[in-house]
Amino acid sequence: MVNAPTRYAEALLTGLLGTFGLDVEYVRAEKNTLYHLDDAGKEVPVLDLLGGWGSLMLGHNHPEIVAHAKELLDSGCPVHSQHSAHPVADRVGAVLNTILGREFPGAEPYSVIFANSGAEAVEAAVKHCELDRALRMKSLFEEIEWNAGVALTAVLDGSAALPDDTSLLPGDIPVPATAEDLQALIGAVAAHNLSRAGTGPVFFALERAFHGKLVGSTQFTYNPVFRAPFESLGRAVKFVPPNDAKAFEDIVAEQRVTVLDLQVVDGRVTLVERDFPVVAGLIVEPIQGEGGIYGLTGEFATRIRQICDEVGCPVVIDEIQTGMGRTGAFFASSHIGLLGDYYLLGKSLGGGIGKTSAMLVRQSRYRPEFELVHSSTFAKDGFSTAIALRTLELLEAEDGAAYDRAAERGGRILDMLRELAAEFPDVVADVRGQGLLIGIEFADQSNASSPVIREKARAGLLVFQLGSYLHLAHRIRTGPTASVPNMLRIEPSIYITDEEIDQLRTGLTQVCTILRNQDALPLVHPLTGGQQPPRAEIRNFRPEADDAAAAADGQAGPATRKAGLVSYPLTPAMLREYDPSLADLDDDRLLAYARRSELLRDLPAFAPARFTSPQGTSVDLTVYPLLVTPQQLREYQVSGQTMLIGLDLDRRVRQAKADGCDTVGLGFGLGAVSGHGSALRVPGITVTAGGALAAGSALEAAEGAAAGRFGGLDGLTVAVVGGGGHIGSALGALAARRAARIVLAGSGRPGSAERLRAAEHRIYQEAWTRIAAGGELTGIAAALADEPLIAGWLADGRSGEEPSGAAVAAYLADAHDRNPYVTVAEDLSSLRDAHVVFSAHSSPVPVLDDKHLADEAIVVDLAFFGTGSESAVADSRSGLQYVRGGVLTVQNPGIVPGVVSASVNSGELLAGAAEVITLALSGSGAPTGNGAMTFERVHAIADLAKQHGFGAVSA
């Protein structure tokens, strides 16, 4: 945000949370409750169903764990005593082995390696798998070398015959006829095997998997958002569809690599193939938490165990989130009978206090030398292992009552959610989970009739919006899953009460009602700073079936062309048009929502509106709105941060191109932050800021009003407020062809004077070009032709193309006390002599006052932020005439999105939208979209617009 406080710790993430009102500072926690302070300093309780992303099996600040932690610290127990005995760590290992033996009867002992986090435990397992593979490969090559020596000795002493099978001979090696030939074959076999030795390891993981975000662990995380940017940093992982054993069997077979071995078989030296240990490991979660709460089946577990045993592939079971009793058993894999070679534990192992994790490896696979090549300063520290031991003791107490409670509490929540799904089958797509690892998946809302809901769904942020509502309106804290954007995750501690479950039911019932009725107001209002919503009830904003069918019928058949419009900055009126459910919010609340949503500027594109030309061609116009208000846009301009808006515009234009649009327009105000389209480097697409048709239509409207009041523009003084701007300077030059005097008024901001001088020089340059060309002269050119300077230039044959505007201005400044043709001023009092005043400024608020205007003045309003911004001035004094500029009538208006037409009447369209439609309808015959606004170009586009059914509005 433009004036946001500086943040140093994850500023982007904190800003995103702030967008949804989730940037809360919690000050206290116990069991399933977090507390923050309200504006009065009073504690506000929030039901925490995130549970530290599954780390709080025993809740926040369990009193016995806290007491044990205090006791440890008060006793001066050594935390860091590396390179010494750690009996507490051994006791943790003993308890874990006892649990393994109970849940997997007959399991062999497992050695334990400690780490600091779950992702580090994954990295440790991957390293151990690769060390094990490397040592197996070393043993295989040593065995092959030994076998070759045995074979050669046997041939030399006559106890074995030379090989006679040619099928496996490597390269061009012939069948050996002598002992020397056999030695050559042994060398060729060694070279062949050496070529295989460089084959890298192959790891397997499951689609939808999440195993961390460190350099190594992120390679095993399926979601490309987390993995793709870092793929070059690690070994590629083969992903397998979950619960598809045949797919796993096939992909394992595809990875098979063999080496050759010479063995003595039945008295003959024989070449045989040996499997090379290329497969390093398979890592699985029994229930994919971040992947959407999907569980593995028992059938899949049995088959992958068989396949892995056949090829020597270790099975790494990631129980970082599912373990520690969360699913009703200590190891979730015990529910499906999947015995692992490795187990990974974390999260709740620290009891919500310690930061620790563990990798367990069955001893028949364990490589003790791993302890010499892998270590961590903080792993296995005295404090964390002692906390882990106390946590395990609490979980195991009373014959594992904690596991039974997790199963019972989770069952109660699941029953409640399934009842909710039955009540709202159109809203709840699925309920999944086991124990206290639960997810509720909502139906896809990417085509929702509410634009607010649709936008969040398409951006993958719907659960953030729903979570925001639950937090702010119901004091419930939930969270998303990494790979299912429509799922809310529920992971409370075992101490969740019936009352808290009922609180969750109430909140989710309201969420389902909101989504069913497409009423975005309850979601938006808590983010606006208002205390009480303008209405308590949730209303039905779903479109009637007949309306939807009529809209579909109106778009029958493809259009000739497609065009896009990046819409104008949003006003409260436009937001109400955008989503009718927001109509009850006042302007302040709507603008507060827009400002809070500043980081999420992209709203979803509207459904295309069809425009058909009298020429027989048609265009589908798709509007791509930006969630930025005039005030915000103005702040970006003043602060010099227009690059941020430019990046948004560039992205929207690229999206329009991807959607098939060949022409894209920029709404008023957006051209100024993008070089009027020239700064957008999107090849193969025409970009227009809409200024040419806006200037042309405004001038035509002014001419019509002036004809009625003054008999035309000839001889009048015409003023342009915003005269140094893109459209304002064009209007000044165009009006100078008829008017006797032009007044160019600016804002007084830095750079304004320079822009006004440039606009003045343009008027003189164009006047000289017309004079030099000969023919009938009007306006300022006719008067200027009598100046001695101009007469001298004509006599000298000076070219009309030669730069002359600045020279004319300098001459007039010396020759006249007061410039008779063009006045440049920063003071609006200079407008008092003007007969016609064009309002072409970029201020988000009106700037004209009746004291600035002559008694019979005509005000032509085409301010950048929507027509009507200066309408009040015409009502302030009789005699002033108000004309809407930059507006055209349209014969076939289509279904125009309110964000485009909110400020005009039915059957009318702003010139920026009309210009992009005109250019698209005209195809290759249209002038360049963002070229200079010359007299010829303005009139060319105006003529094309008339041919395609657009007309000037009446004054």
Side-chain angles (χ1 to χ4, degrees), residues 475-709:
R475 297 181 180 176
I476 298 172
R477 187 171 185 254
T478 61
T481 61
S483 298
V484 180
N486 292 338
M487 172 168 279
L488 281 175
R489 180 165 53 170
I490 300 168
E491 291 187 81
S493 81
I494 59 175
Y495 300 111
I496 188 168
T497 65
D498 289 345
E499 291 77 15
E500 289 170 333
I501 294 173
D502 288 341
Q503 181 182 351
L504 175 61
R505 177 198 291 270
T506 299
L508 288 177
T509 299
Q510 291 294 92
V511 166
C512 290
T513 304
I514 288 167
L515 293 178
R516 170 176 282 177
N517 290 297
Q518 296 291 291
D519 186 356
L521 184 138
L523 303 179
V524 168
H525 178 264
L527 298 170
T528 66
Q531 297 301 313
Q532 295 296 326
R535 53 179 169 83
E537 76 279 10
I538 297 172
R539 295 178 182 169
N540 187 358
F541 287 90
R542 289 175 296 172
E544 297 292 337
D546 292 344
D547 294 340
D553 290 343
Q555 300 293 334
T560 307
R561 291 181 176 274
K562 293 181 178 180
L565 177 67
V566 183
S567 75
Y568 309 89
L570 291 183
T571 63
M574 291 177 181
L575 277 169
R576 294 186 187 98
E577 289 281 345
Y578 176 70
D579 194 319
S581 69
L582 305 181
D584 292 318
L585 289 175
D586 61 30
D587 288 4
D588 289 342
R589 300 282 74 78
L590 285 167
L591 291 175
Y593 172 66
R595 181 168 289 279
R596 182 183 285 274
S597 302
E598 190 169 7
L599 288 176
L600 308 173
R601 294 187 187 90
D602 288 359
L603 300 173
F606 285 87
R610 178 70 53 83
F611 293 83
T612 302
S613 166
Q615 306 295 320
T617 55
S618 60
V619 62
D620 280 344
L621 179 70
T622 300
V623 176
Y624 299 86
L626 292 180
L627 187 54
V628 57
T629 66
Q631 289 80 5
Q632 287 170 293
L633 184 56
R634 184 66 171 172
E635 287 173 9
Y636 279 106
Q637 290 174 312
V638 172
S639 66
Q641 298 184 40
T642 55
M643 179 191 71
L644 299 174
I645 296 292
L647 293 173
D648 292 334
L649 291 178
D650 186 83
R651 186 169 64 254
R652 297 303 259 171
V653 172
R654 291 181 186 278
Q655 181 59 57
K657 181 182 178 182
D659 292 342
C661 300
D662 52 21
T663 307
V664 175
L666 307 178
F668 280 152
L670 300 181
V673 297
S674 64
H676 305 285
S678 61
L680 299 175
R681 306 298 186 184
V682 183
I685 194 166
T686 297
V687 178
T688 176
L693 192 53
S697 60
L699 186 63
E700 185 175 353
E703 288 172 340
R709 176 159 292 197

Side-chain angles (χ1 to χ4, degrees), residues 410-478:
R412 184 176 180 89
I413 295 172
L414 284 164
D415 288 344
M416 178 271 289
L417 295 177
R418 287 167 181 147
E419 291 173 2
L420 199 66
E423 182 180 355
F424 294 92
D426 53 329
V427 174
V428 179
D430 198 8
V431 172
R432 297 189 291 273
Q434 188 164 6
L436 292 172
L437 179 57
I438 298 168
I440 176 170
E441 184 178 357
F442 295 99
D444 179 27
Q445 299 292 325
S446 59
N447 291 313
S449 57
S450 163
V452 168
I453 295 173
R454 183 171 70 245
E455 172 257 329
K456 294 300 185 294
R458 292 183 180 181
L461 296 171
L462 178 63
V463 291
F464 284 86
Q465 187 78 63
L466 301 181
S468 165
Y469 168 76
L470 287 170
H471 182 273
L472 298 175
H474 294 276
R475 297 181 180 176
I476 298 172
R477 187 171 185 254
T478 61

Side-chain angles (χ1 to χ4, degrees), residues 182-196:
L182 179 60
Q183 287 181 312
L185 175 59
I186 291 172
V189 166
H192 172 83
N193 291 346
L194 186 62
S195 69
R196 300 294 193 272

Side-chain angles (χ1 to χ4, degrees), residues 709-730:
R709 176 159 292 197
F710 303 113
L713 287 177
D714 297 293
L716 299 185
T717 295
V718 174
V720 183
V721 180
H726 188 62
I727 292 179
S729 61

Side-chain angles (χ1 to χ4, degrees), residues 97 100 108-113 124-125 128-129 132 314 340-344 358-367 370:
N97 271 280
L100 268 165
E108 64 181 276
Y110 284 71
S111 296
V112 184
I113 295 290
H128 190 280
C129 285
D132 176 54
D341 301 289
Y342 297 68
Y343 284 94
L344 307 179
M359 174 190 74
L360 289 74
V361 189
R362 63 182 175 92
Q363 286 187 357
S364 61
R365 192 140 207 148
Y366 183 62
R367 300 287 185 169
F370 183 73

